[in-house]
């Protein structure tokens, strides 16, 4: 008996079917059967299914004699299912890599609940991906019922984001009705009847958003089926008095659902909308609970079709008026801000005012933070003010940090008066550089992949990136900090502007050179005797959204073996997208790995790691400062360089061993070669070239030389910047 029976109904999806089937058959967890139901599809679906069945014994194919529709096709597959759990997968959707393993592990962890609800992400025909906005509801760890956790019903009530215990389905006789919206009379009875429900906070399914061909996006009278489907739900409740308390909830849900269908322009033929409203209103009145409260959006169903149309027109007019008023307010505010800025721009610069920003105003981070802390110690009379993006970010700042919110009046005041600006990305284009002000650009590490003007010939990498605008903003830089000659040459090539390169080293790496402490291990409960392996992949420009799973994290953690802890830090640009929901968040919850993606201070993570596994992330230059083993995982190096471009071949000049496939990566750690003499030799050569200015005094150098104008003791060499001006570190 297999663990899972995956039922896939098929009808007119030959263009997507292979991808769907491959997503199941390619799962790392193989204890399943795939029951494919050919719903008398007129295209090549039947032949494709037979082809797959011929080469994989886990595939069972049913060819129906006539087309019966999605729900009935699922019913046809149910008697053939022998698995412990049922999953229903639409034939244009796909399972994500590792999904069945994650579901199986969660089922075992929760002692086989009746239903397991997992997460999904919408994938759009144009390449975008958007995670379920209510994913946070799946973070609940304990098993529950719908009555104990009614928020679970706020999720999209569909059949395909759940695994169902087959004996539970059989016991209750659940089946799909004919017609559109067949998920409704299945999902509500299932969820309300389940005695044990569990949740899995992991994206296990990609829900394809087709440009055309989606049944529910077809304009048709078939959308009237929604009324019959809710009648079935109410009939189910009527037969079970113990569920009577759910009637008010389902009464409102029915009204909201029907009104949503009515409001969508692509659902109902215009001539049928009045009839749909009246039928919905009759049903709403018929099932209204005694003393049931009707308010909010659904209150319109107590009135007439004319009243509904009038309310819709009034709402549209109100929204249009609000938009006009908002535009007028924003225009007036912009004029006021411009006047405010102009007023302060006539005042002299404040020689002791330094404005900082990091990572697009995300807080006290990176190189600017290191300079800020050094300035407070060396020159406490300098007033440091941080620019943050919003109030939420401001609330997370350390105590005593003066700040302004970007775009506010105080922001305009300090940026108009400041003598110094320190940032690791460009300032907004609206910030005008006053004569006499000094802009110090710290960058965000030593560059490996193409940046700036070098992206002109990389259309995929510069999608949505305006190179000329970026260079106009970079024209405000006075100084560009560099950690090595390689970085110096790259910045002058990638940013052909009038700045002076300053050989300071990376201020954020001072703590690495000077042996700073890290509380990372203690915070995450990592045993003191464990070898910590940090995996830090970068984003991919050949994939929209940037995230590609290069390694099965659970497998890698297991292959490292006892006495090891795998720490994962995704690229910062992926921190708030769907990438962590593809398995990382769930693995971290189960303590299989440690998720360091949200850690604000990279240095603390690096200090805690005994080894780094990365692909082409610039973090390898920072980690090299620690003189600890590095393994480069370069399984897609040709694709990466073709799409993004790189300033050096990291596979030919690596800071340690190189693995080009996962088995090779595992062998390196199993054999100990990841830290052998050859690894050390490569690392020494890499450090000599790329860490040459990293002496632990970078932040001090910036403060004393660029903020205070002092000469730095000891010799200092330079290569003149493009501006032709004298380097600030020159001793001459």
């Amino acid at each position: 008996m297999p663990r899972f029976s995956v039922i896939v109904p098929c009808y007119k999806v030959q263009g997507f079917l292979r991808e769907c089937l491959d997503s199941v058959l390619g799962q790392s967890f193989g204890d399943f059967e795939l029951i494919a139901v050919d719903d008398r599809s007129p295209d090549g679906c039947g032949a494709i299914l037979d082809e797959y069945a011929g080469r994989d014994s886990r595939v069972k194919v049913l060819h129906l004699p006539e087309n019966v529709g999605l729900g009935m096709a699922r019913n046809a597959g149910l008697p053939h299912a022998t698995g412990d759990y049922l999953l229903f997968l639409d034939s244009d959707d796909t399972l994500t890599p590792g999904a069945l393993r994650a579901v199986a592990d969660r089922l075992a962890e929760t002692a086989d609940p009746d239903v397991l609800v997992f997460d999904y992400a919408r994938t759009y025909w144009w390449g975008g991906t958007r995670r379920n906005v209510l994913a946070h509801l799946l973070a609940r760890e304990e098993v529950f019922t719908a009555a104990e956790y009614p928020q679970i019903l706020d999720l999209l009530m569909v059949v395909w984001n759940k695994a169902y215990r087959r004996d539970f389905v059989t016991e209750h006789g659940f089946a799909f009705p004919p017609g559109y919206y067949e998920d409704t009379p299945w999902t509500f009875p299932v969820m309300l009847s389940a005695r044990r429900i569990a949740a899995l906070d992991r994206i296990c399914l990609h829900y394809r958003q087709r440009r055309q061909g989606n049944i529910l996006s077809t304009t048709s009278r078939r959308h009237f089926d929604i009324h019959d489907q809710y009648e079935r739900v109410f009939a189910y409740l009527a037969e079970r008095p113990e569920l009577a308390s759910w009637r008010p909830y389902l009464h409102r849900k029915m009204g909201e659902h029907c009104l949503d269908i009515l409001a969508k322009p692509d659902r109902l033929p215009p001539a049928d909308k009045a009839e749909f409203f009246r039928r919905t209103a009759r049903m709403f009145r018929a099932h209204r609970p005694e003393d049931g409260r009707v308010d909010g959006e659904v209150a319109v169903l107590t009135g007439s079709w004319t009243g509904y149309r009038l309310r819709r027109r009034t709402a549209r007019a109100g929204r249009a008026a609000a938009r006009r008023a908002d535009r007028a307010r924003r225009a007036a505010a912009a004029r006021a801000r411009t006047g405010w800025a102009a007023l302060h721009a006539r005042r002299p610069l404040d020689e002791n005012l330094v404005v900082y920003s990091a990572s697009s105003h995300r807080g006290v981070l990176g190189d600017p933070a290191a300079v800020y802390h050094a300035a407070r110690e060396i020159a406490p009379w300098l007033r440091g003010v941080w620019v943050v993006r919003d109030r939420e970010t401001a609330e997370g700042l350390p105590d005593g940090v003066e700040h302004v919110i970007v775009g506010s009046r105080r922001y305009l005041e300090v940026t108009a008066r400041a003598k110094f600006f320190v940032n690791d990305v460009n300032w907004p284009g609206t910030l005008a550089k006053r004569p006499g002000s000094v802009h110090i650009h710290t960058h965000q590490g030593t560059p490996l992949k193409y940046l700036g003007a070098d992206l002109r010939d990389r259309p995929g990498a510069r999608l949505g990136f305006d190179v000329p605008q970026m260079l106009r903003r970079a024209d405000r830089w006075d100084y560009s900090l560099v950690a090595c000659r390689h970085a110096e040459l790259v910045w002058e090539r990638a940013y052909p502007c009038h700045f002076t390169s300053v050989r300071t080293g990376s201020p954020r790496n001072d703590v690495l050179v000077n042996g700073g402490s890290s509380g990372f291990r203690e915070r995450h409960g990592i045993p003191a005797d464990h070898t910590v392996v940090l995996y830090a992949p970068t984003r991919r420009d050949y994939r929209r959204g940037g995230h590609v799973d290069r390694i099965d994290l659970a497998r890698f953690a297991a292959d490292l073996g006892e006495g090891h802890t795998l720490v994962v830090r995704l690229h910062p640009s992926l921190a708030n997208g769907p990438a962590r929901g593809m398995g990382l968040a769930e693995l971290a919850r189960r303590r299989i790995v440690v998720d360091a993606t949200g850690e604000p201070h990279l240095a603390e993570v690096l200090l805690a790691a005994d080894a780094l596994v990365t692909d082409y992330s610039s973090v390898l230059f920072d980690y090299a400062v620690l003189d600890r083993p590095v393994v480069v995982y370069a399984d897609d190096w040709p694709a990466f360089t073709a799409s993004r471009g790189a300033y050096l071949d990291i596979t030919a000049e690596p800071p340690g061993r190189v693995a080009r496939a996962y088995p090779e990566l595992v062998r390196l750690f199993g054999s100990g070669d990841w830290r052998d003499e050859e690894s050390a030799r490569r690392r020494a050569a890499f450090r000599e070239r790329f860490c040459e200015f990293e002496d632990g005094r970078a932040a001090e150098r910036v403060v004393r030389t660029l903020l205070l104008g002092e000469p730095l003791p000891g010799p200092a060499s330079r290569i003149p910047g493009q501006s032709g001006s004298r380097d600030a570190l020159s001793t001459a």
Side-chain angles (χ1 to χ4, degrees):
M1 179 185 296
R3 187 60 166 160
F4 298 115
S5 294
V6 183
I7 298 177
V8 183
C10 308
Y11 183 74
K12 295 178 67 173
V13 287
Q14 63 180 5
F16 307 109
L17 183 54
R18 292 182 184 276
E19 186 179 356
C20 171
L21 298 176
D22 289 341
S23 77
V24 180
L25 299 175
Q27 290 287 310
S28 58
F29 183 90
D31 187 17
F32 64 84
E33 61 182 2
L34 193 160
I35 302 171
V37 183
D38 172 17
D39 189 17
R40 195 66 176 178
S41 185
D43 57 9
C45 285
I48 293 172
L49 295 179
D50 289 339
E51 174 194 334
Y52 274 76
R55 65 172 187 248
D56 195 317
S57 61
R58 295 173 297 180
V59 180
K60 303 177 182 178
V61 179
L62 303 178
H63 295 283
L64 301 185
E66 60 181 357
N67 176 248
V68 295
L70 182 57
M72 303 302 283
R74 289 172 180 156
N75 288 342
L78 280 173
H80 299 271
T82 62
D84 297 330
Y85 278 85
L86 304 170
L87 287 92
F88 297 95
L89 178 64
D90 288 353
S91 48
D92 55 352
D93 296 337
T94 56
L95 295 182
T96 60
L100 290 186
R101 167 59 64 187
V103 171
D105 289 346
R106 183 61 173 152
L107 290 173
E109 183 182 32
T110 53
D112 284 6
D114 296 330
V115 180
L116 174 69
V117 187
F118 49 77
D119 200 14
Y120 66 92
R122 298 174 188 266
T123 58
Y124 294 87
W125 61 270
W126 43 265
T129 299
R130 182 167 63 88
R131 189 178 186 183
N132 165 29
V133 296
L134 297 177
H136 61 277
L137 296 178
L138 296 170
R140 188 177 177 112
E141 294 195 22
E142 62 271 20
V143 175
F144 54 88
T145 64
E148 293 166 342
Y149 189 52
Q151 298 95 313
I152 198 69
L153 298 180
D154 292 337
L155 294 170
L156 191 62
M157 284 291 101
V158 290
V159 66
W160 41 254
N161 64 345
K162 303 171 183 72
Y164 311 87
R165 188 167 58 82
R166 186 167 60 89
D167 288 346
F168 164 69
V169 171
T170 302
E171 173 191 349
H172 288 267
F174 294 124
F176 293 93
Y180 281 16
Y181 304 100
E182 76 291 334
D183 287 4
T184 298
W186 167 285
T187 307
F188 282 117
V190 164
M191 294 298 286
L192 299 183
S193 300
R195 293 180 292 273
R196 300 180 71 249
I197 303 172
L200 173 60
D201 183 14
R202 186 199 193 277
I203 297 172
C204 294
L205 182 139
H206 279 148
Y207 176 29
R208 189 188 299 273
Q209 306 296 290
R210 293 159 64 175
R211 184 171 183 267
Q212 59 182 3
N214 184 293
I215 292 176
L216 292 184
S217 296
T218 304
T219 303
S220 166
R221 281 187 60 86
R222 294 290 304 276
H223 293 282
F224 279 79
D225 288 353
I226 189 64
H227 301 118
D228 291 337
Q229 307 297 22
Y230 271 103
E231 289 288 4
R232 292 183 172 99
V233 174
F234 287 118
Y236 185 85
L237 260 63
E239 296 170 359
R240 293 162 179 81
E242 70 275 11
L243 299 180
S245 61
W246 286 102
R247 183 173 292 277
Y249 170 85
L250 289 169
H251 178 252
R252 175 176 289 274
K253 179 67 72 173
M254 179 272 293
E256 292 171 346
H257 196 168
C258 291
L259 287 174
D260 181 63
I261 294 170
L262 184 62
K264 283 184 165 59
D266 59 350
R267 297 294 193 268
L268 295 160
D272 294 326
K273 289 191 172 185
E275 180 187 350
F276 185 90
F277 174 86
R278 295 186 183 104
R279 187 178 298 185
T280 300
R282 286 197 302 270
M283 186 175 176
F284 191 75
R285 289 192 296 270
H287 291 287
R288 180 175 177 176
E290 292 184 14
D291 302 323
R293 188 180 65 180
V294 175
D295 55 10
E297 177 190 6
V298 295
V300 71
L301 291 170
T302 62
S304 65
W305 164 245
T306 301
Y308 168 80
R309 295 179 65 193
L310 179 61
R311 180 170 176 170
R312 292 272 296 173
R313 283 198 295 268
T314 302
R316 284 196 295 268
R319 288 193 295 270
R323 286 194 295 269
R324 289 193 298 271
D326 183 60
R327 286 196 295 269
R329 282 194 299 270
R330 284 190 278 113
R335 289 192 296 271
R337 287 195 299 269
T338 301
W340 185 259
L343 174 65
H344 285 280
R346 289 194 290 268
R347 300 172 62 188
L349 293 175
D350 185 338
E351 299 289 327
N352 293 324
L353 178 56
V354 187
V355 176
Y356 298 90
S357 180
S359 300
S360 299
H361 318 311
R362 284 180 167 83
V364 183
L365 305 168
D367 291 305
V371 174
Y372 169 76
H373 291 303
R376 295 187 69 176
E377 181 178 339
I378 297 170
W381 60 88
L382 292 177
R383 176 189 171 199
V385 180
W386 281 85
V387 176
V388 295
R389 56 182 176 175
D390 50 34
R391 295 189 182 280
E392 182 180 356
T393 306
E395 291 172 359
L397 295 176
D399 293 339
V401 173
E402 186 177 356
H403 66 276
V404 294
I405 296 174
V406 65
S408 66
R409 278 197 170 192
R410 288 195 62 230
Y411 164 82
L412 296 173
E413 178 183 344
V414 298
T415 54
R417 297 288 316 284
K419 170 72 172 182
F420 300 102
F421 293 80
V422 182
N423 199 350
D424 60 4
V425 295
N426 263 321
W427 293 98
T430 54
L431 192 154
K433 186 178 189 299
R434 290 185 62 183
S437 64
V438 176
H439 283 238
I440 301 167
H441 194 77
T442 71
H443 302 282
Q444 291 184 316
T446 298
L448 172 60
K449 47 186 175 280
Y450 277 8
L451 297 165
D454 289 326
L455 295 177
R456 287 174 297 182
D457 296 328
R458 306 284 170 165
R462 62 177 173 82
L463 182 66
F465 179 66
D466 189 331
V467 173
Q469 181 186 70
M470 176 275 300
L471 293 178
R472 286 192 293 272
R473 294 180 179 183
D475 280 333
R476 295 173 294 193
W477 302 353
D478 293 290
Y479 298 106
S480 167
L481 308 188
V482 298
C484 59
R485 294 172 217 270
H486 161 79
E488 184 172 59
L489 295 175
V490 167
W491 299 143
E492 294 191 0
R493 164 180 159 162
Y495 301 102
C497 305
H498 299 290
F499 57 78
T500 295
S501 296
V502 189
R503 296 177 175 177
T504 57
S506 299
R508 67 179 182 178
N509 287 342
D510 287 348
V511 65
L512 304 182
V513 178
N514 297 326
S517 61
S518 171
F520 180 84
R521 286 183 179 239
E522 291 74 17
R523 287 200 308 274
H524 292 277
I526 300 174
D529 60 344
H530 269 215
T531 297
V532 174
V533 178
L534 170 62
Y535 174 51
T538 192
R539 61 179 292 121
R540 299 304 198 272
D541 294 288
Y542 59 73
R543 175 69 62 84
R544 196 178 189 108
H547 177 66
V548 180
D549 279 318
R550 309 306 312 174
I551 291 178
D552 183 331
L553 298 178
R555 181 181 176 187
F556 188 31
D559 287 340
L560 286 173
E562 292 292 330
H564 292 76
T565 293
L566 178 61
V567 176
V568 182
R569 183 180 175 88
L570 301 181
H571 190 276
S573 66
L574 303 176
N576 297 318
R580 293 166 85 178
M582 294 294 290
L584 177 56
E586 172 64 10
L587 292 174
R589 183 193 65 79
R590 294 168 54 203
R591 300 200 58 78
I592 293 174
V593 304
V594 173
D595 180 8
T597 305
E599 289 284 333
H601 303 295
L602 174 62
E604 291 194 4
V605 183
L606 300 184
L607 285 165
D610 298 299
L612 170 68
V613 176
T614 186
D615 36 39
Y616 328 116
S617 170
S618 63
V619 72
L620 63 87
F621 295 99
D622 300 313
Y623 193 73
V625 173
L626 291 170
D627 196 16
R628 298 177 187 174
V630 178
V631 175
V632 175
Y633 184 56
D635 69 323
D636 65 339
W637 178 245
F640 181 85
T641 53
S643 61
R644 179 62 184 254
Y647 293 112
L648 69 145
D649 186 348
I650 198 63
T651 65
E653 303 173 86
R657 291 289 189 174
V658 178
R660 296 184 182 273
Y662 180 74
E664 187 177 357
L665 176 65
V666 174
R667 283 196 299 272
L668 286 174
F669 279 92
S671 65
D673 289 349
W674 61 283
R675 54 181 176 185
D676 64 3
E677 291 184 5
E678 176 61 17
S679 173
R681 184 191 65 77
R682 295 179 182 182
R683 186 168 68 253
F686 189 88
R687 294 181 71 250
E688 183 178 0
R689 179 180 177 187
F690 296 107
C691 304
E692 58 180 321
F693 305 143
E694 303 282 31
D695 62 356
R697 303 184 65 187
E700 176 191 0
R701 210 172 268 126
V702 172
V703 173
R704 293 193 182 279
T705 308
L706 302 184
L707 300 186
L708 301 181
E710 300 176 0
L712 197 64
S717 61
R718 71 179 180 91
I719 295 177
Q722 296 178 60
S723 66
S725 64
R726 299 177 67 84
D727 191 300
L729 290 184
S730 174
T731 56

